[in-house]
Amino acid sequence: MSRDGVKHLIGRLATHQHLVSHAYYNSELIKDEENAQGIELLQQHKVLIPRGDDAYTLHTTFRRFLDAALNIERLYSIGSDLGVAFERLEQLTNALFDIAHEGQMEERERIEDEIRQSIYEISDNLAADLEHLRTLVENRFGNVSTLAEKKRQNAYYIGRTEKVVRAIELFTLSDLGERIQTQGAFANIAAMFRAQLQERLPSFRQNLSDILEILKQYLFEYREIEEQTRRVRSLWFYLERHPVYELQDWDESAHPQPWLLKASGLSIRSHPWVRDPEYTDALAALASDIAPPTLRLPIERPRGTLIEEDQAPTVILQIKPYQRAIENLIATCKSQNLCASALEWYSDHPADLGGMSVSVWLQCVLEDLGPRKKKELGITVVAEESLDPIFTGNVVVCDVHVGPA
């Protein structure tokens, strides 16, 4: 049956070889009406895995097999350790940043494909390890039978889980995610990085931390089981050597065995039955010797007197020069029914601003005349902006126009 299954799988791969080749060289395969049936068959054999809406790619294990068979040379070697995989991803992003600024388009596309594949591998390996580890933990390492093997596996997976959690924490604390999301060189991979890795890493780390706590609890339980097992095994060996052994009634023995004396005795306390009429006189004699309780009367505190405190001195805030200038600017706009320029106002009234610079004056106008304030005053505030030539995503405020609403 296994040979027939292999032939069947190879036949499916040969029938849909164009889909496999396209997914391997383009890193992605889009599902449509023509290839829908082939994609579903390959997905059943775990050759393709989904990567979003109607998008599929090769399974990580199958892609590694093709890389090894075709002797594909990658920019950096793939490590089996998660920390090495994160380090390789950072090296690839640094290489992409340099190549993007040098304008090498073909090399840039190749490095982007390498980064996508590296992200897929990290995400797939984390999901597979988490699923495998969750299965082992839920079954309490049911794949092995002896306690020694369970302890060895538990200790191994504790070390491995701690290493993975530490690698995820170090990667999360790095600035790689922020660089990919903000810098223009990574615009083609930012969405895929956020969906496949950045948004899933906190969940992976939390699940692994929970599993790590369970593994440590299992290790403590295994140590207790080992001590109990040693005692049971000793008793079993003794019964095997003495098949006619019978338990004795040690309560009737005047000189019990020393090992019986090691057990702690039961603590027993006796108390009289107060409802028995036979003990009424004795209990009454005991009660007569008990001293009466000390009576404590509540102490009434005298009422206090209200003392008037001195009122806090009134502080009159002085209006700042730029605030008075903004009020004069608004009054001029409303009285003359025109739209005034804050930059021209600065040029016409330099003495009213107390030596304030132009940039600070424009900033004060924008901050003081916010959305709520301009709605209350019944005015409109429009900022004249221009793109910054050096820092992308920033704007330079050249002027602010204030007018009646």
Side-chain angles (χ1 to χ4, degrees):
M1 294 298 294
S2 61
R3 295 183 178 179
D4 294 341
V6 171
K7 289 182 180 179
H8 184 65
L9 175 59
I10 294 177
R12 287 285 177 86
L13 293 176
T15 303
H16 305 286
Q17 55 183 327
H18 60 288
L19 297 177
V20 177
S21 177
H22 186 276
Y24 178 74
Y25 287 108
N26 297 317
S27 301
E28 194 175 52
L29 184 63
I30 305 301
K31 185 177 181 180
D32 52 24
E33 296 181 355
E34 297 180 358
N35 59 13
Q37 184 177 2
I39 290 178
E40 291 178 358
L41 292 175
L42 293 176
Q43 189 179 0
Q44 291 176 3
H45 291 288
K46 298 182 179 180
V47 177
L48 295 178
I49 55 178
R51 286 299 182 195
D53 298 336
D54 297 333
Y56 296 84
T57 187
L58 288 179
H59 195 280
T60 303
T61 307
F62 187 67
R63 179 179 289 275
R64 287 181 179 176
F65 167 74
L66 294 179
D67 290 341
L70 299 176
N71 194 18
I72 297 298
E73 293 184 358
R74 294 184 175 272
L75 182 60
Y76 300 99
S77 61
I78 301 175
S80 58
D81 184 73
L82 184 62
V84 177
F86 282 138
E87 183 179 357
R88 175 177 177 270
L89 178 60
E90 186 173 0
Q91 292 174 348
L92 288 171
T93 53
N94 294 335
L96 178 60
F97 182 82
D98 296 336
I99 291 174
H101 285 76
E102 293 174 0
Q104 304 179 21
M105 298 305 298
E106 296 182 358
E107 190 69 15
R108 176 176 180 175
E109 293 178 357
R110 187 175 71 85
I111 299 299
E112 287 178 352
D113 292 339
E114 292 288 338
I115 293 177
R116 291 191 186 95
Q117 185 58 33
S118 179
I119 294 174
Y120 288 154
E121 290 176 359
I122 294 174
S123 179
D124 289 343
N125 290 336
L126 279 174
D129 287 349
L130 185 61
E131 182 179 0
H132 176 66
L133 191 57
R134 176 70 68 177
T135 303
L136 292 177
V137 170
E138 290 178 353
N139 295 329
R140 289 179 174 264
F141 300 100
N143 56 329
V144 294
S145 57
T146 64
L147 180 62
E149 291 175 336
K150 290 180 182 293
K151 288 184 62 178
R152 283 195 296 269
Q153 284 207 6
N154 194 6
Y156 167 75
Y157 282 109
I158 284 178
R160 180 178 176 183
T161 307
E162 288 178 344
K163 191 175 182 180
V164 173
V165 171
R166 188 160 52 250
I168 293 177
E169 291 177 350
L170 293 176
F171 179 76
T172 306
L173 295 175
S174 66
D175 62 341
L176 181 59
E178 183 179 357
R179 288 177 54 199
I180 293 178
Q181 298 299 324
T182 56
Q183 295 181 1
F186 310 106
N188 297 333
I189 63 171
M192 189 269 294
F193 173 82
R194 181 174 58 255
Q196 295 296 330
L197 198 59
Q198 193 173 31
E199 295 178 354
R200 301 179 68 184
L201 278 181
S203 176
F204 286 151
R205 182 179 58 182
Q206 183 61 40
N207 291 335
L208 288 170
S209 299
D210 296 341
I211 292 176
L212 183 60
E213 295 298 325
I214 297 175
L215 288 174
K216 291 181 179 179
Q217 179 64 26
Y218 283 175
L219 185 60
F220 174 74
E221 294 177 0
Y222 289 152
R223 291 171 180 173
E224 289 186 337
I225 293 173
E226 185 178 9
E227 182 65 26
Q228 297 175 2
T229 305
R230 186 181 297 109
R231 296 177 182 177
V232 174
R233 187 183 294 113
S234 300
L235 178 60
W236 181 76
F237 286 155
Y238 182 81
L239 295 177
E240 283 289 327
R241 291 193 299 267
H242 304 82
V244 295
Y245 176 79
E246 294 182 1
L247 294 176
Q248 300 182 20
D249 189 3
W250 297 105
D251 294 337
E252 302 297 334
S253 177
H255 303 285
Q257 297 292 330
W259 59 270
L260 285 173
L261 301 178
K262 294 181 179 180
S264 59
L266 299 177
S267 58
I268 300 176
R269 294 182 179 181
S270 61
H271 59 85
W273 182 246
V274 296
R275 296 185 180 182
D276 192 346
E278 183 180 355
Y279 304 111
T280 302
D281 297 337
L283 293 176
L286 292 174
S288 62
D289 296 336
I290 299 176
T294 304
L295 297 178
R296 294 184 179 180
L297 299 177
I299 301 175
E300 293 184 0
R301 297 180 179 273
R303 294 185 178 181
T305 57
L306 181 61
I307 301 176
E308 295 184 359
E309 297 181 354
D310 297 336
Q311 296 182 356
T314 303
V315 179
I316 300 176
L317 299 178
Q318 299 294 332
I319 188 171
K320 297 181 179 180
Y322 78 88
Q323 294 176 339
R324 183 175 287 106
I326 293 175
E327 292 179 356
N328 296 334
L329 175 62
I330 296 173
T332 303
C333 294
K334 288 187 175 182
S335 61
Q336 300 181 7
N337 196 17
L338 54 83
C339 182
S341 170
L343 186 61
E344 295 178 358
W345 181 273
Y346 179 86
S347 301
D348 297 339
H349 306 81
D352 297 344
L353 300 175
M356 182 182 294
S357 63
V358 178
S359 60
V360 176
W361 160 247
L362 296 179
Q363 182 179 359
C364 292
V365 173
L366 287 176
E367 291 181 354
D368 281 18
L369 302 181
R372 183 179 298 177
K373 189 68 175 295
K374 67 182 181 183
K375 185 177 180 180
E376 295 176 356
L377 297 175
I379 59 175
T380 59
V381 180
V382 180
E384 182 179 342
E385 302 174 347
S386 62
L387 296 177
D388 192 281
I390 299 177
F391 301 101
T392 59
N394 297 329
V395 295
V396 178
V397 179
C398 303
D399 196 359
V400 180
H401 300 278
V402 182

